[in-house]
């Protein structure tokens, strides 16, 4: 009964946010997150993480980054039900909400045409759903790893929101590695977020400290010897975003020429660290990445 009640409340909130439209909903949810965020335990976690990552900054600067992170989280939550409306990219028209440089479009199209599988890594930056949508909207046969909510009804609603926007959905459970390998065997382009703690992975440097990190993407790259690209969204003023896709990352290899999983995991985290340092207020500082 509790799960059904939570699901009904979530559906009501989704309906209200949808009715407000992306701009008003984003502004409202950002204002709420900025006000409520500092009152919860996660805010102390965020401030501690920011202080450790940027020891040269003042406490006031740390607080500003945390406030921006709450703002970004509120906007991202509001945008969830508006993803299809937000995605308005058309290379034949002037830039709208979504901006993609011509060379990035060319990379997407080259990946679509080469007939090979590929791996994409992303992070909880800006609106982290958009890179998966970018791949699908450029015609790449793709699959994305996602975390399902514990509430089954809420999980089903969220899956319906995502279906049709971002390719095949692979739930992050014990069978996920097998399903990701199957997708690569089929020639799909498989994406995942790599910036959360993974207690069974290697410790690699991340924002000035060692952090347990997920080696799955590096292991898949080792097994399939396929290209690996980084994808990210950057939040811009006025409800706009810039989408970026790196060139293929040259992963470290061992003496036998195979991808070195731990060194590759460290390299990918180093790239994500650069993204975070570039736009610190757009990252999800509230989770216990270093526990």
């Amino acid at each position: 009964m509790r799960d059904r009640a939570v699901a009904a409340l979530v559906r009501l909130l989704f309906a209200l946010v949808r009715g407000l439209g992306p701009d008003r909903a984003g502004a409202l949810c950002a204002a709420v997150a900025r006000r409520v965020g500092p009152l919860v335990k996660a805010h102390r976690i965020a401030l501690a993480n920011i202080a450790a990552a940027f020891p040269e900054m003042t406490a006031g600067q740390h607080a500003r980054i945390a406030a921006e992170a709450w703002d970004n989280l509120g906007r991202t939550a509001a945008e969830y039900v508006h993803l299809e409306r937000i995605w308005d990219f058309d290379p034949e028209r002037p830039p709208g909400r979504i901006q993609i440089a011509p060379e990035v479009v060319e990379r997407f199209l080259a990946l679509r045409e080469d007939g090979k599988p590929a791996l994409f890594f992303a992070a909880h930056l800006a609106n982290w759903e958009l890179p998966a949508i970018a791949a699908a909207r450029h015609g790449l046969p793709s699959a994305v790893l996602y975390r399902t909510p514990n509430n089954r009804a809420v999980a089903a609603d969220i899956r319906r929101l995502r279906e049709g926007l971002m390719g095949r959905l692979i739930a992050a459970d014990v069978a996920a590695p097998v399903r990701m390998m199957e997708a690569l065997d089929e020639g799909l382009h498989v994406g995942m977020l790599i910036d959360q703690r993974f207690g069974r992975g290697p410790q690699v440097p991340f924002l000035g400290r060692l952090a347990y990190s997920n080696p799955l993407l590096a292991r898949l790259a080792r097994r399939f010897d396929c290209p690996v690209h980084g994808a990210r969204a950057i939040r811009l003023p006025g409800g706009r975003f810039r989408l970026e896709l790196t060139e293929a990352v040259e992963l470290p290899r061992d003496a036998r020429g195979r991808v070195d999983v731990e060194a590759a995991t460290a390299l990918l985290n180093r790239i994500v660290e650069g993204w975070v340092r570039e736009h610190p207020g757009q990252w999800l500082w509230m989770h216990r990445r270093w526990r």
Side-chain angles (χ1 to χ4, degrees):
M1 289 183 65
R2 183 176 63 224
D3 284 352
R4 287 197 294 271
V6 170
L9 178 60
V10 170
R11 287 169 187 153
L12 175 61
L13 292 173
F14 278 0
L16 291 172
V17 170
R18 188 179 289 110
L20 287 171
D23 294 321
R24 286 189 297 172
L28 174 62
C29 291
V32 171
R34 274 181 173 267
R35 181 173 293 273
V36 175
L39 305 178
V40 301
K41 182 180 178 181
H43 187 68
R44 296 194 295 273
I45 295 170
L47 287 175
N49 287 339
I50 295 166
F54 298 100
E56 73 283 3
M57 290 185 179
T58 66
Q61 290 172 311
H62 297 158
R64 279 194 293 275
I65 292 173
E68 290 172 8
W70 284 115
D71 184 289
N72 182 73
L73 182 58
R75 291 182 188 277
T76 300
E79 291 157 356
Y80 208 86
V81 299
H82 295 291
L83 289 172
E84 193 163 7
R85 291 180 61 184
I86 289 170
W87 186 268
D88 63 355
F89 178 72
D90 184 343
E92 303 301 323
R93 295 189 310 179
R97 291 183 184 273
I98 303 297
Q99 301 178 12
I100 308 179
E103 62 271 20
V104 174
V105 173
E106 289 175 7
R107 284 182 198 135
F108 276 118
L109 298 182
L111 285 164
R112 184 186 71 186
E113 300 300 328
D114 67 10
K116 302 175 183 177
L119 288 160
F120 294 89
F121 65 93
H124 290 86
L125 282 157
N127 188 314
W128 49 86
E129 306 287 349
L130 291 175
I133 298 175
R137 290 299 175 93
H138 281 88
L140 275 69
S142 56
V144 60
L145 183 70
Y146 80 105
R147 181 179 177 182
T148 57
N150 294 331
N151 185 306
R152 291 184 180 181
V154 173
D157 288 344
I158 289 177
R159 187 178 182 91
R160 280 192 290 272
L161 285 172
R162 284 173 158 166
E163 282 177 337
L165 288 175
M166 53 185 69
R168 182 183 302 176
L169 300 176
I170 299 175
D173 55 24
V174 293
V178 173
R179 296 208 171 96
M180 294 172 78
M181 286 189 286
E182 290 172 347
L184 290 166
D185 274 330
E186 294 175 39
L188 271 61
H189 304 79
V190 179
M192 65 178 289
L193 298 163
I194 65 167
D195 59 334
Q196 289 190 305
R197 183 183 186 273
F198 187 78
R200 300 188 302 278
Q203 282 189 305
V204 302
F206 186 67
L207 291 167
R209 290 180 286 171
L210 291 176
Y212 288 104
S213 302
N214 194 334
L216 177 56
L217 191 137
R219 286 175 178 165
L220 292 171
R222 178 186 177 102
R223 182 182 179 94
F224 288 88
D225 201 21
C226 60
V228 175
H229 297 261
R232 64 165 170 166
I234 299 170
R235 189 178 292 280
L236 303 174
R240 297 173 298 120
F241 298 88
R242 184 168 70 249
L243 271 292
E244 294 186 350
L245 179 71
T246 70
E247 295 182 354
V249 177
E250 190 69 31
L251 298 179
R253 295 180 180 265
D254 60 22
R256 293 192 295 167
R258 302 178 69 191
V259 170
D260 183 319
V261 171
E262 184 166 345
T265 301
L267 172 60
L268 299 180
N269 275 268
R270 193 155 62 246
I271 293 170
V272 171
E273 175 178 335
W275 295 347
V276 174
R277 290 193 181 279
E278 187 178 352
H279 298 285
Q282 297 187 20
W283 192 56
L284 194 68
W285 291 97
M286 301 81 172
H287 66 285
R288 291 185 177 276
R289 180 72 172 88
W290 292 271
R291 73 178 187 273

